[in-house]
Every structure is written in structure tokens, then in C-alpha cells.
Amino acid sequence: MPFRTWLAHRWKRALRSVSLARNALRSILTVFMGLYGTLAFLGAGWAFPFVVRELVPGSSPLGLLNAYLLIGLLVLTALRFFLQGASGEALRPYLHLPIARSRLVGYQMVASLASWFNILPLCALVPVALQVEWPGGAVGALCWWIGVLGALAVSHYAALGLRAMLGRGMTRFLAVTGGLGALVGADIALGLGLSTGASGALFGGLAAGGVGPLAVVVGAVGAAAALTVRVVRRTLWADRGAGAASRGRLTGAGLDLGDSLTARLVALDLRLILRNRRPRQLMGYQAVALPLLGVLVAISPERGLTVAHIMLGLFASSLLAIGYGQFIFAWDGGHFDGLLARVAPPDTLLRARLFTLCGLGAVSYLPMLPVLAWVDLRVLWISAVGLIYNLGVTVGFTLLTSLWNRKAFDLNEQAFFNYQGFSSSQFLLVFLFTVPPIVVFLALPFGWALGIVGGVGALGIALMPWWMRALAGGFARRRHTLAAGYRSE
Amino acid sequence: MQIHVDRLRKQYGDFELAIADFTIPAGQALGLVGNNGAGKTTLLRLVLDLIRADEGAVQIGGHDVAQTFDWKRSTGSHLDDAFLIDFLTPDEFWAFVGSTYGLSEDAVQRAVQPYADFFTDEPIGQTTKYIRDLSQGNRKKVGLIAALLAEPAVVVLDEPFASLDPRSQLWLKEHLNEQQAARPVTMLISSHDLGHVTDVSDRIALLDGGEVVRDVRTTPDTLSELEAYFARTIRSQEEASAASGA
């Protein structure tokens, strides 16, 4: 099978996917989000030099970009691990055919580069590259581009390789990334500048037309590709029950999204939001409120770090998750008996809701990135540690409060000024986990606050398996009480 | 797979459901009848672990339903609209329910095809209406198909014939009988329709005031005996109110 046939199959697979054909709304939304993402990243790249000149007068936009590119790529690799499709899935239908598996893996290694996780960063980098001055002239620009493309490829292959190797074993991955994140955070907080220095040396060297940095990147690409091919090939033979690893399981920590029931429960949540008036309106209002808050903060004459700046950064990845999450199970009140009678074990419900909240966090955060960068780069930093804090702390506490939701929601009432199901205890609990990080940012130096809030979040993520088990136990104990409440008993 | 009820007690205010020892052997269909408030739905909810018993336990296939979850993969059920996810189309709902039994979408599509004569509102596989937009009868059909599509070893149904048109009632009755003839499915069916429930049951249990007051094998005379029983309760109530009026 030639490579073009492989590409044609990939294209047809995307175009003829059952879900795409059956759900026009989702297709339109996907196209819209793709366009929005492309334009947002293009806009962010175009605005970057202006923002730098405004906020850090006298510094070079290219220099600043180079200093943080490596950290950005580390974050990108972590995001890919959770969100990017696995490599083995596409290979599975071909494994029984008389085609060398090494060839199939090679095809997939190349074809998988056409990913949004590679396209969107390039959308942001192209406008920057067109506006900056290159210290190494045209040769420097060429070397820099080869280096950036190579670094993206390394990030891509590293994520694929880690996925194949760990099977999305979250605990190990989170331990490694948490450790790395803590090191980088400490480096920034303490002003050591090791990570930014290394990044600046690598990409700055490329921009100056240096051969040494180019050799480093090319070598890294080769090593990453070779290792990933080796790991992916090995997983093709591994007996993991219908290719568990390649379908993207979050094992370890008992967080198994590959389980089709969990995935279906997450899909059920999405349908619940899209097809019912109250959750749809609630999510819609909050999705609008975030950028609006961003605009208000941006146009305010206050240049210092205000509560509004901090709230914008922290809520960028949590507002939708809190809005939806604080009523989890109450949304399901009308069909809770059916879920309880069928879903085994019942804590699968809780696990699915965890993924929904994490997904809502990502959905609200990613489109907000350009807005946050436009408002203030410090807000972008707050939002980054806010994301970690929300995944590690906010999501867990939100799920905990949901175990006390005993009033079923009428899904088709309007959300505006509708307080059905709200209670003061929920309000207070939400305050309990949203106020402390704000206080930390107001009371401590910026770097320390970033480290502490991010550290607490990372600790929460590391302890996720433990608190998920505790929440599952709580759910098992309270399931009858919840069900009775939803039956108005 | 048998259903076994062991010294079960559940109190709701003045009402108490108390069933000492009660077994539905594997492959048997038990019809549960009784007046409103007799405790039928409470018993079904206890069997499905939707409410917590004050005392005692229910076992399905030897598994205590309050302690384990394995029994759910062998049990199909439909009690009321709370078993439906009304913002899904019927196809989406069946696919979701199928996934709870580990069935793929293709397997679900194959499993629901035999119900094309039963669910006639829209072609199965191409349904577009959300469940909330269906009539009461069609919603009931969606729930019944969901309960039966995975061919579970245990089936628990509450009022399966209510809201169905006569043709669908007859279809369902034949289908339940065919299912029982084809494989050893244990059924617990609560119904106010004495005729239909005796037609699909091997045994009838009569609940009154939270207790099983009669538990008999179904015979050709069962229907008339049940009708006579309920007629007597009407007369005794009339006599009681006449006496209190006097």
C-alpha cells in the first residue's frame, strides 16, 4: 500500500465518520472552532510584537519568544498526551493485511503530523516571524524555522511515544510532568532563568544561523522519531485486550476513559448541555462572561495586578466547570434512577463527570488564551497555574459538592435569574476553593504566588487517584439519598 | 439467575413493606399485582437497588444488589420515565444503554431490529425525534426495548402494558412469552392489567399493605380468582364506609 493510499484512507475516514454524518451541528461547531482557533492564533501571533513593545519596552519580541519557546513546547507535549489522538488506533484495521508493520508505523508517524497541535502553534509563529528582525538574516530565519518545526515534531513524537509506552498511565505521567513543572516554576520564581536561558540559547542560536543548535534539534527529532516508532511498533504486538493502549486509556488511578461506557457518559453530558435550555444557556452566558471580563480588565486604566486580573486568570479554566459542575447529578435528576439501575459500577458516573469537568476547563481555557495574552502577560501566567489548580483542586471540590445535590433540575427552564437548585452551602463551598488562590496572589510576590498555587494544584493532581477513590466511596454511600431526592421523596 | 428476597423491610411513614422470604427461581416469570400503594414499585426499586432497605437484602444471581454491581450486567429494567434520558433520540438512547452492557453500536443496531414491528413511530436506526417529544406510549416502548435489547438473564418491568395501544400490548405479550420460551430469563413484572400479567407469568404474587398475601402458580383459573379477590376488596371497602357512615 503506497503512502498516498494511506493518506486517502485517513481523509475518507475523517470525512465519512459516522458521527460527522449524523450530527450536522457538531460538524458545524467543529469547523467553526477550527476557524476560530486558527484566527485566534494568527491574531495572537500578529499582536505579540506589539504587546511585547507595550509591556516590556526595549526588549526584543524574538528574544522573548525564544526564551519561552521551550517551556511552551513542554506544556504542549503535556496537552498532547491528554488530548491528541493515539497512533495505534489508525493502524489497527491494517494489521491483519500483508503490509509490513514498520511501514504502517512509518506512514502513521508522518501522517499524524497533520494535527491541530502542530498547526495552531505554527499559526501563531508565522505572523511573529514575519514581523521580527533576524539577527542571522535569511539563513538565521531558515535555521530558526527548521529548528521550530523540528521542536514541534519532537513534542509530537514524544507525546505519541509516551502514550504508547504508558498507555496514558496518568500517575506516572503526572508525576514526571508535575516534577518538571515544579522545577520550571521554581526556576522562574527564584529568578534563576535556567529554563529561559536554555531556551533562549537554543532558539536564539538558531535565529543567529548557528549550526550547533540546528544539529541538536535535528538529532532530537531523529531520536524522538526512532524511539517512538520502536515503542509504537512494540505496542502493536502487545496483548492489551482489543488494543487498549492505542485507544487511549487513562489507566492507573482508575481513570479509564477508554472504557466505552465512561466515554459515552461524557458524551451524554455534552448532549445534555447542547440539547437542553438551562444548561445550554448557563454555559452560554458564562462563555460570554469570560471574554467580556477580559475586555473590561484590558480597558481599565489600572495597570497593577488587581483582583479582576487574578479572577480572570483563575476563572479562565474553571468558570464553565464550576457552573456546570456544581449541579452535577442534579442535571441528571430526571433520569438518575435509570443511570443508577444500569451503570455498573456506579462510580463510573463520577469518573465520567470528572472528565467532563476537565474537558469544560480545557474548552473554556484554550479559546481564552489570546484574550489573556492581550490583557496582560501576567494574567496568562496566572491562568496557566490556574489551570493546574483547577484540575487538581477545583474539579475535586466541585465533585464533592455535587454529592449533596438532591433537587432535580428542570432542564428546559431558562437559566437567567433561575435559582432553582441553588443553595447557600454550594455558594460557600465554591468560595472555599476559589478565594484562597486570589488571596495568595494579593498577599505574596508574584513568583511565589505562582509557585504556591501551581504547587497546590500539582499536588491535587498527583493525589487525584486517592481523592477519586474517596469520592467514589462517598457516591456509593449517598447514591440512595441522591436518588430519593431526585424522586422528591 | 434467580432473584431472592431475604427478610426485606422498608418503612415509609405509616407504610411498611415487609417480605420475609421470597424467591423467583431462574427462568421463572413472576407477575406482581396489587392495588395502588400496595408496595409493588417499592419492591421493584429495592430489587434494583434504587432505594436502601431498612433491613434484609435482595440477591440477584447470588449477588447482594446493595453490595455489588455485577448483577446489573445481567439485568434489564424499565420502571418509569426516570429510566429514560429524554434529550436523546431512541437510537442514541439504545446505543447508550447497550454500551452499559458492553455492546457495540452495531450489536445494538442488530439487537433492536426485532423491535421494528413494536416501535413504529420512526424507522429504527434513523430516529430523529428526542424521547421527550414522543407520546407516552412510544416513550414506554423505548424504555421496554432498552430493557430487553441486551437479552438479560433478569428482566424487571413496572407496568409494561400501560399506555400501549392494544396491538402493541399483544405484541409485547407475545414477545415476552417468546423470550421466556427461548432462554431461561427470570422476569419480575408488576402490572395492574390482570389479564396480560397472568398471560406472561408462571406465577402471581399479590401484594397488599406491603405484604405478599397470595403467591400462586398461574393456572387457567388465576385470572378469575384475582378478579374475584379484587372485587371482594371493593365490597369490603364499601361495607366499611357504609358502617362508618351509619
Side-chain angles (χ1 to χ4, degrees):
Chain A
M1 181 174 68
F3 185 56
R4 65 172 184 281
T5 310
W6 171 265
L7 282 182
H9 283 193
R10 300 290 299 153
W11 172 248
K12 284 175 183 168
R13 183 173 182 263
L15 210 62
R16 296 176 182 176
S17 73
V18 177
S19 56
L20 198 69
R22 279 192 187 164
N23 196 329
L25 179 65
R26 191 161 66 192
S27 309
I28 292 165
L29 272 175
T30 307
V31 172
F32 175 77
M33 286 303 289
L35 278 174
Y36 174 80
T38 308
L39 290 174
F41 277 78
L42 280 170
W46 176 80
F48 181 74
F50 299 101
V51 173
V52 171
R53 278 182 212 118
E54 177 78 17
L55 294 178
V56 201
S59 70
S60 148
L62 184 62
L64 203 65
L65 177 67
N66 286 338
Y68 287 96
L69 257 181
L70 210 52
I71 298 170
L73 285 165
L74 280 175
V75 174
L76 183 67
T77 309
L79 284 174
R80 286 175 193 270
F81 183 82
F82 292 111
L83 303 173
Q84 196 171 343
S87 53
E89 189 183 2
L91 301 176
R92 207 147 295 279
Y94 300 90
L95 293 180
H96 68 287
L97 299 173
I99 306 169
R101 291 188 174 190
S102 54
R103 175 181 287 195
L104 287 173
V105 174
Y107 284 174
Q108 179 57 12
M109 287 297 105
V110 177
S112 65
L113 285 168
S115 151
W116 282 111
F117 288 92
N118 293 325
I119 294 167
L120 291 179
L122 289 178
C123 287
L125 290 175
V126 167
V128 179
L130 290 174
Q131 296 178 78
V132 297
E133 288 179 14
W134 294 95
V139 175
L142 183 66
C143 286
W144 188 86
W145 269 117
I146 293 172
V148 163
L149 290 173
L152 277 173
V154 170
S155 157
H156 178 81
Y157 291 133
L160 287 185
L162 284 169
R163 280 277 304 279
M165 197 159 59
L166 301 176
R168 278 194 173 174
M170 257 180 87
T171 312
R172 280 175 291 173
F173 181 78
L174 289 174
V176 174
T177 48
L180 266 176
L183 282 178
V184 172
D187 177 41
I188 293 170
L190 297 172
L192 299 175
L194 293 174
S195 50
T196 49
S199 181
L202 178 66
F203 292 101
L206 285 165
V211 179
L214 194 61
V216 168
V217 173
V218 171
V221 174
L227 276 173
T228 305
V229 165
R230 194 182 165 89
V231 171
V232 171
R233 278 187 65 187
R234 205 170 56 202
T235 58
L236 293 180
W237 275 272
D239 179 17
R240 295 205 184 178
S246 62
R247 276 184 298 160
R249 290 198 166 209
L250 289 171
T251 51
L255 304 169
D256 190 350
L257 186 59
D259 166 3
S260 66
L261 177 56
T262 310
R264 280 197 174 273
L265 285 166
V266 174
L268 189 67
D269 263 337
L270 297 182
R271 284 180 173 137
L272 189 148
I273 292 169
L274 290 173
R275 294 180 179 178
N276 294 287
R277 193 179 184 191
R278 186 166 177 186
R280 192 171 57 226
Q281 285 185 350
L282 185 68
M283 296 294 98
Y285 293 146
Q286 292 184 337
V288 173
L290 269 175
L292 201 63
L293 178 63
V295 172
L296 289 175
V297 173
I299 60 173
S300 92
E302 181 63 60
R303 291 291 99 191
L305 202 61
T306 64
V307 174
H309 285 86
I310 299 165
M311 284 177 65
L312 179 65
L314 291 173
F315 282 123
S317 57
S318 69
L319 194 61
L320 293 191
I322 292 173
Y324 184 73
Q326 64 182 325
F327 304 117
I328 269 184
F329 301 129
W331 298 118
D332 297 303
H335 49 263
F336 194 74
D337 272 359
L339 289 179
L340 213 52
R342 293 186 179 111
V343 176
D347 56 342
T348 311
L349 277 173
L350 205 70
R351 196 166 60 215
R353 297 310 183 249
L354 171 77
F355 287 120
T356 300
L357 296 188
C358 292
L360 284 173
V363 163
S364 65
Y365 182 57
L366 293 177
M368 277 295 288
L369 281 173
V371 180
L372 299 172
W374 173 56
V375 171
D376 192 321
L377 281 179
R378 288 171 302 177
V379 176
L380 199 59
W381 278 111
I382 296 172
S383 73
V385 296
L387 180 66
I388 298 169
Y389 179 83
N390 290 327
L391 290 177
V393 178
T394 308
V395 163
F397 272 101
T398 308
L399 283 171
L400 179 67
T401 62
S402 71
L403 298 184
W404 277 265
N405 290 334
R406 293 197 61 224
K407 196 168 172 59
F409 271 18
D410 185 338
L411 296 175
N412 282 305
E413 283 185 358
Q414 67 169 13
F416 205 51
F417 285 115
N418 186 347
Y419 300 105
Q420 182 220 7
F422 276 85
S423 73
S424 53
S425 59
Q426 273 168 333
F427 197 64
L428 287 172
L429 273 169
V430 169
F431 258 77
L432 265 181
F433 55 80
T434 52
V435 170
I438 297 174
V439 173
V440 169
F441 273 104
L442 288 174
L444 295 176
F446 189 64
W448 279 104
L450 283 178
I452 289 171
V453 174
V456 170
L459 185 67
I461 293 173
L463 293 176
M464 194 181 272
W466 176 81
W467 54 254
M468 274 302 287
R469 272 196 294 276
L471 284 173
F475 179 76
R477 283 190 295 278
R478 288 193 56 79
R479 66 188 192 276
H480 296 113
T481 311
L482 292 173
Y486 299 140
R487 287 192 296 264
S488 304
E489 288 176 1
Chain B
M1 241 179 184
Q2 77 167 19
I3 301 174
H4 178 65
V5 173
D6 183 23
R7 289 169 291 165
L8 196 63
R9 197 178 70 80
K10 177 71 184 173
Q11 184 96 32
Y12 276 124
D14 294 338
F15 170 80
E16 183 184 66
L17 178 82
I19 299 174
D21 185 32
F22 188 78
T23 300
I24 309 170
Q28 189 178 74
L30 182 121
L32 197 60
V33 297
N35 290 316
N36 291 331
K40 299 188 299 297
T41 303
T42 300
L43 176 59
L44 298 189
R45 284 179 176 159
L46 284 164
V47 166
L48 293 173
D49 186 42
L50 297 176
I51 52 178
R52 194 191 303 273
D54 297 329
E55 283 174 25
V58 176
Q59 292 180 343
I60 293 181
H63 299 289
D64 185 335
V65 297
Q67 303 299 327
T68 64
F69 311 110
D70 297 339
W71 58 273
K72 289 187 185 182
R73 291 247 171 170
S74 320
T75 305
S77 54
H78 181 72
L79 300 194
D80 52 31
D81 276 0
F83 276 54
L84 302 172
I85 302 174
D86 67 0
F87 53 84
L88 300 182
T89 65
D91 283 324
E92 290 172 345
F93 178 64
W94 294 324
F96 171 74
V97 171
S99 74
T100 66
Y101 294 94
L103 297 180
S104 67
E105 281 201 39
D106 285 344
V108 171
Q109 278 299 312
R110 284 193 299 275
V112 295
Q113 283 314 313
Y115 296 92
D117 278 349
F118 182 56
F119 185 78
T120 50
D121 193 56
E122 286 187 298
I124 285 178
Q126 300 166 47
T127 60
T128 55
K129 289 181 193 166
Y130 294 151
I131 293 171
R132 65 184 173 214
D133 297 327
L134 298 176
S135 66
Q136 183 65 41
N138 279 324
R139 285 209 297 274
K140 174 61 68 76
K141 290 179 185 177
V142 170
L144 290 169
I145 294 170
L148 299 167
L149 67 84
E151 299 193 344
V154 175
V155 171
V156 180
L157 302 174
D158 193 8
E159 293 291 352
F161 303 104
S163 306
L164 297 185
D165 56 80
R167 178 190 168 278
S168 299
Q169 288 182 13
L170 294 172
W171 191 99
L172 178 66
K173 200 162 63 176
E174 279 179 22
H175 183 74
L176 291 175
N177 283 328
E178 283 167 10
Q179 289 286 303
Q180 256 226 317
R183 58 197 178 87
V185 53
T186 311
M187 294 188 187
L188 174 57
I189 298 173
S190 153
S191 179
H192 289 306
D193 190 316
L194 301 177
H196 287 323
V197 78
T198 47
D199 282 346
V200 296
S201 303
D202 304 311
R203 187 176 141 202
I204 294 287
L206 204 157
L207 267 181
D208 193 5
E211 292 177 4
V212 177
V213 295
R214 182 180 281 201
D215 183 356
V216 293
R217 296 286 303 186
T218 311
T219 65
D221 298 328
T222 305
L223 177 59
S224 55
E225 287 168 8
L226 287 171
E227 285 171 343
Y229 174 86
F230 286 108
R232 275 201 303 277
T233 62
I234 296 170
R235 279 198 292 276
S236 60
Q237 277 173 358
E238 285 173 350
E239 285 162 11
S241 32
S244 63

